[in-house]
Amino acid sequence: MCHSSHEDLEIKTNSSLTPDGYEEAEEGLEKVAEGSRSRIRMSGIKGLQGVVRKTVNDELQANIWDPQHMDKIVPSLLFNLQHVEEAESRSPSPLQAPEKEKENPAELAERCLRELLGRAAFGNIKNAIKPVLIHLDNHSLWEPKVFAIRCFKIIMYSIQPQHSHLVIQQLLSHLDANSRSAATVRAGIVEVLSEAAVIAATGSVGPTVLEMFNTLLRQLRLSIDYALTGSYDGAISLGTKIIKEHEERMFQEAVIKTIGSFASTLPTYQRSEVILFIMSKVPLPSLHHPVETGRTGENRNRLTQIMLLKSLLQVSTGFQCNNMMSALPSNFLDRLLSTALMEDAEIRLFVLEILISFIDRHGNRHKFSTISTLSDISVLKLKVDKCSRQDTIFMKKHSQQLYRHIYLSCKEETNIQKHYEALYGLLALISIELANEEVVVDLIRLVLAVQDVAQVNEENLPVYNRCALYALGAAYLNLISQLTTVPAFCQHIHEVIETRKKEAPYMLPEDVFVERPRLSQNLDGVVIEFLFRQSKISEVLGGSGYNSDRLCLPYVPQLTDEDRLSKRKSIGETISLQRVPAEEITYETLKKAIVDSVAVEEQERERRRQVVEKFQKAPFEEIAAHCGARASLLQSKLNQIFEITIRPPPSPSGTITAAYGQPQNHSIPVYEMKFPDLCVY
């Protein structure tokens, strides 16, 4: 009855009827037939509704949740839901419809389906969902995806929230089962999964989170292989279904969108796990990594890197975490920066944008989308907070990694305007979100080193890149000078910018970062008046309490032979300014090292034995006198150091205010400070 297609009314024509009269008669009979079908289908649906209500909780009756029953009940309800658009298109307008005809088979079927799913227990969900998936497969309803999305919205809102993850698991398994189906079918399943996952995230998702991301990333890699090889089995032969590359691209974008939309609903701790999980899947370059090319000559690993970084960017967008140590842990940051200096410009840009997404916690990112030298940055209405203690620790640990990445990224000749905009945004956001006095000093040194790269041009950069570096430095120093609010610093930056406007506009962002850059073909004769001078900046900032000695040191990161392959050395090696020459290793050297190490171990073992024996057998008075003498010696050494201290540090606290660089009083020496009683030296 639910599947009734009652059309057995005969249309008897009369020769006296005009064509118009015939059409009216035919239309009237169609409405009669349609009415009969609706009544029969509604009777069938009501019958199913009664069966469900009677048997669902009656142990003496047949188990309604058995597959043999569900495979009949669920498709019957879906069949009526499926024809809702057709019924609405043929039904009379609401003004003409009688009150009793307002209800139709689609509405009744939806109500019955909701009631059925609402009664489903934990062990019955699978049997109720499987017929839905089979029905969508058999009737090719994944490709338009509208009906499929509607079905699963009904399902997700009808079942109990704690059962949501079971539906997600069913969809994930179905996606895996359709790994070799057309890209449009897989894309439909993914979009349905996206809608269902967002609803499920409001309830209990549990361990399904990583399972879902793992499945999506696996499908992403398979799609890349399909697009490269042109077939599902890696080889084209007779009877092989040819893959449409643009459809695979659409499927990949659907997967990335789903990853981002679902991640945005997760709590911070789960989102952090997802970020680490995705990053662990990114293939890293190595010296002996095989190059895998496909039909179009594209590198499989490059495409995988790009797709995974796109997914990571989707997840990181809008990510809010007050503690940068948690947002960018070492294992994640190391892997992310390992891809930062690759030849591929697109990958480098993704890394910059991901870093910006994590660092921007106050929504300032869009304010730096355009590089400019504003005379008054107050119009940007920046949201600035004091650097927290956790962020200070993060910068002490990772700042040199970030500076080195920025510096080397600036030297890439394949950079385009988007790269410089991202670099400017990253510098600006570090200055706002993570800056104390030490960080400000290091960022100024870094930008002055970038200016030297453009001036000396050891890398033989194109004219555009050199002008872009000059313009980038001008924009950032203009910003940081106004943030520090040191008048002499602001004056020096303003004077150089004004000089460039008059005589060298090709060194300013307003002339470089435009659709048609206005460049100079001769950058070798740049006069000193066009440059920001390190000595001058050190002098004016030193007078305001900044570390002038550090400002005088040029920023020179250590370069390694593995930078082009995105390998990373330790932080200690990163900030080192000199390369230690390799020692020649001979047989005598190895023999001496082994003998010496054995002797040292013996001496250390003997020393420990004597210490333990002394503390076990010596009288308490002797031990106390020994420790007291050592404490007195340590105190006398500290007193000597304090006495010869000439210049106290500019800021013992190591932090700055929101408007860091305000004229500050000279701080008192460390040895004159009053520390709490619990402070241990």
Side-chain angles (χ1 to χ4, degrees):
M1 293 173 71
C2 291
H3 292 268
S4 173
S5 299
H6 183 72
E7 292 182 355
D8 58 351
L9 294 177
E10 296 182 2
I11 301 175
K12 298 181 180 179
T13 60
N14 191 319
S15 58
S16 62
L17 285 176
T18 63
D20 291 341
Y22 178 81
E23 290 177 1
E24 290 177 2
E26 183 179 17
E27 184 178 351
L29 289 173
E30 284 181 356
K31 289 181 179 180
V32 171
E34 183 182 344
S36 300
R37 285 198 301 271
S38 296
R39 286 193 296 272
I40 294 173
R41 289 180 183 178
M42 289 181 67
S43 298
I45 296 169
K46 288 178 180 178
L48 289 179
Q49 194 174 34
V51 170
V52 170
R53 290 176 179 177
K54 178 174 177 58
T55 61
V56 72
N57 292 322
D58 191 346
E59 296 180 358
L60 298 178
Q61 301 293 330
N63 188 356
I64 200 70
W65 301 107
D66 283 346
Q68 57 181 338
H69 301 307
M70 284 289 104
D71 290 347
K72 297 181 178 67
I73 294 174
V74 174
S76 300
L77 298 176
L78 293 179
F79 174 78
N80 287 277
L81 273 175
Q82 183 181 341
H83 293 83
V84 61
E85 293 85 2
E86 181 183 353
E88 288 177 353
S89 65
R90 292 186 179 182
S91 63
S93 65
L95 295 176
Q96 298 173 345
E99 290 292 328
K100 63 180 181 179
E101 294 183 6
K102 283 187 177 180
E103 189 176 59
N104 55 53
E107 293 176 358
L108 186 60
E110 180 178 339
R111 195 158 61 247
C112 184
L113 181 61
R114 289 181 184 275
E115 186 176 346
L116 175 69
L117 294 169
R119 295 169 180 264
F122 182 87
N124 302 325
I125 293 293
K126 183 177 179 180
N127 291 344
I129 302 302
K130 189 175 180 181
V132 178
L133 299 173
I134 294 174
H135 182 84
L136 297 174
D137 285 342
N138 292 340
H139 296 274
S140 302
L141 295 173
W142 293 110
E143 297 182 33
K145 75 196 172 189
V146 176
F147 177 72
I149 290 175
R150 180 167 179 255
C151 282
F152 274 90
K153 280 187 175 181
I154 292 173
I155 292 170
M156 298 305 293
Y157 284 119
S158 300
I159 62 175
Q160 299 178 38
Q162 62 268 29
H163 298 163
S164 298
H165 67 282
L166 297 176
V167 180
I168 302 299
Q169 287 174 339
Q170 287 282 93
L171 281 167
L172 291 172
S173 300
H174 199 67
L175 179 60
D176 279 336
N178 282 271
S179 293
R180 297 188 174 221
S181 298
T184 51
V185 173
R186 284 177 281 134
I189 299 174
V190 166
E191 296 207 23
V192 170
L193 184 61
S194 174
E195 296 284 346
V198 170
I199 298 171
T202 60
S204 173
V205 184
T208 314
V209 173
L210 289 184
E211 180 188 350
M212 176 176 176
F213 285 101
N214 190 35
T215 300
L216 291 175
L217 294 180
R218 181 169 62 251
Q219 292 297 325
L220 201 58
R221 287 193 296 271
L222 285 174
S223 177
I224 290 171
D225 288 340
Y226 296 159
L228 287 172
T229 60
S231 67
Y232 292 122
D233 53 7
I236 299 178
S237 59
L238 292 177
T240 300
K241 186 176 181 180
I242 304 300
I243 305 297
K244 295 181 180 179
E245 191 172 346
H246 72 279
E247 291 183 354
E248 292 297 334
R249 293 279 186 264
M250 291 174 60
F251 169 72
Q252 292 161 17
E253 293 298 328
V255 171
I256 293 171
K257 180 183 175 184
T258 300
I259 288 173
S261 62
F262 180 49
S264 64
T265 65
L266 298 176
T268 301
Y269 76 94
Q270 279 189 327
R271 207 165 175 181
S272 299
E273 291 177 359
V274 170
I275 288 169
L276 291 173
F277 180 74
I278 295 176
M279 193 67 235
S280 68
K281 300 292 184 180
V282 178
L284 298 179
S286 63
L287 287 167
H288 307 291
H289 201 85
V291 177
E292 303 174 16
T293 57
R295 180 179 58 189
T296 59
E298 293 178 284
N299 183 272
R300 177 177 279 102
N301 295 305
R302 173 189 174 273
L303 287 176
T304 304
Q305 287 167 342
I306 288 175
M307 291 301 168
L308 292 177
L309 290 174
K310 273 187 178 181
S311 304
L312 196 58
L313 181 60
Q314 286 281 334
V315 177
S316 64
T317 301
F319 180 72
Q320 294 291 329
C321 186
N322 294 329
N323 185 356
M324 288 304 298
M325 293 291 290
S326 301
L328 292 172
S330 298
N331 54 346
F332 171 78
L333 190 60
D334 290 343
R335 289 184 64 88
L336 181 63
L337 293 181
S338 68
T339 60
L341 299 174
M342 297 179 63
E343 294 287 349
D344 194 286
E346 188 177 4
I347 291 177
R348 295 200 310 272
L349 185 58
F350 276 126
V351 174
L352 290 171
E353 291 177 344
I354 290 168
L355 286 172
I356 288 172
S357 293
F358 280 110
I359 295 174
D360 180 28
R361 293 171 293 182
H362 292 86
N364 290 313
R365 177 181 183 177
H366 67 281
K367 300 172 184 177
F368 302 110
S369 57
T370 302
I371 309 178
S372 63
T373 53
L374 290 172
S375 57
D376 183 8
I377 64 169
S378 63
V379 298
L380 297 177
K381 297 181 180 179
L382 299 174
K383 298 178 182 177
V384 184
D385 273 343
K386 183 178 179 180
C387 183
S388 66
R389 180 176 176 272
Q390 292 85 354
D391 290 346
T392 300
I393 295 173
F394 171 81
M395 289 304 289
K396 284 185 179 295
K397 185 175 182 181
H398 296 295
S399 60
Q400 298 303 323
Q401 281 180 293
L402 292 172
Y403 301 154
R404 182 167 178 263
H405 161 65
I406 294 172
Y407 178 79
L408 296 177
S409 294
C410 288
K411 298 171 70 173
E412 295 288 346
E413 63 176 287
T414 55
N415 285 343
I416 59 176
Q417 181 174 332
K418 287 185 178 180
H419 290 86
Y420 296 111
E421 289 172 347
L423 286 165
Y424 175 66
L426 183 58
L427 287 167
L429 289 169
I430 292 175
S431 304
I432 291 174
E433 297 279 356
L434 305 172
N436 52 35
E437 288 179 359
E438 182 180 347
V439 171
V440 170
V441 168
D442 283 343
L443 288 173
I444 292 173
R445 291 172 57 227
L446 172 63
V447 173
L448 291 174
V450 170
Q451 178 182 256
D452 291 339
V453 170
Q455 183 183 8
V456 178
N457 197 27
E458 291 180 350
E459 306 291 330
N460 293 320
L461 295 174
V463 173
Y464 173 79
N465 297 64
R466 296 177 67 186
C467 290
L469 293 181
Y470 280 127
L472 175 65
Y476 176 72
L477 291 175
N478 175 70
L479 173 69
I480 198 66
S481 66
Q482 295 186 55
L483 287 174
T484 56
T485 64
V486 177
F489 185 27
C490 294
Q491 183 180 356
H492 171 64
I493 302 302
H494 178 72
E495 289 174 354
V496 175
I497 290 176
E498 289 300 316
T499 304
R500 289 186 180 184
K501 284 182 179 178
K502 295 176 182 177
E503 303 181 40
Y506 49 84
M507 300 172 72
L508 293 174
E510 287 77 9
D511 275 38
V512 177
F513 301 119
V514 291
E515 186 176 353
R516 294 183 179 179
R518 293 179 286 276
L519 310 176
S520 171
Q521 297 303 318
N522 184 17
L523 293 175
D524 296 328
V526 175
V527 297
I528 194 170
E529 287 78 11
F530 297 167
L531 302 176
F532 302 100
R533 298 188 295 281
Q534 189 154 6
S535 59
K536 180 66 175 177
I537 294 174
S538 175
E539 177 187 345
V540 297
L541 289 181
S544 297
Y546 287 86
N547 190 340
S548 59
D549 294 337
R550 189 173 180 83
L551 274 167
C552 290
L553 293 174
Y555 175 79
V556 184
Q558 178 190 5
L559 305 180
T560 68
D561 296 333
E562 295 174 324
D563 275 328
R564 306 313 306 163
L565 291 172
S566 189
K567 292 275 187 176
R568 287 294 178 268
K569 297 297 183 182
S570 66
I571 297 176
E573 293 171 330
T574 300
I575 62 177
S576 174
L577 302 181
Q578 297 180 353
R579 185 189 296 273
V580 179
E583 180 182 359
E584 183 180 359
I585 299 176
T586 62
Y587 172 76
E588 293 297 329
T589 305
L590 293 173
K591 181 179 178 181
K592 183 180 178 181
I594 294 172
V595 174
D596 289 348
S597 63
V598 172
V600 170
E601 288 179 3
E602 289 293 335
Q603 293 175 3
E604 180 65 19
R605 192 179 296 111
E606 179 62 22
R607 188 186 68 79
R608 290 182 178 180
R609 188 190 64 78
Q610 292 175 359
V611 171
V612 171
E613 184 178 356
K614 180 177 181 179
F615 276 85
Q616 286 177 342
K617 298 180 179 180
F620 174 76
E621 292 77 7
E622 181 181 342
I623 296 174
H626 175 72
C627 294
R630 293 186 61 185
S632 300
L633 178 62
L634 175 61
Q635 186 62 45
S636 65
K637 293 293 184 183
L638 288 173
N639 291 336
Q640 292 177 17
I641 294 172
F642 293 154
E643 288 173 3
I644 63 175
T645 301
I646 299 174
R647 184 172 182 267
S651 178
S653 63
T655 60
I656 55 178
T657 61
Y660 28 77
Q662 290 278 6
Q664 302 174 11
N665 297 326
H666 289 287
S667 56
I668 61 175
V670 176
Y671 56 85
E672 291 182 8
M673 289 182 178
K674 301 297 183 183
F675 289 92
D677 293 337
L678 294 178
C679 183
V680 181
Y681 290 87

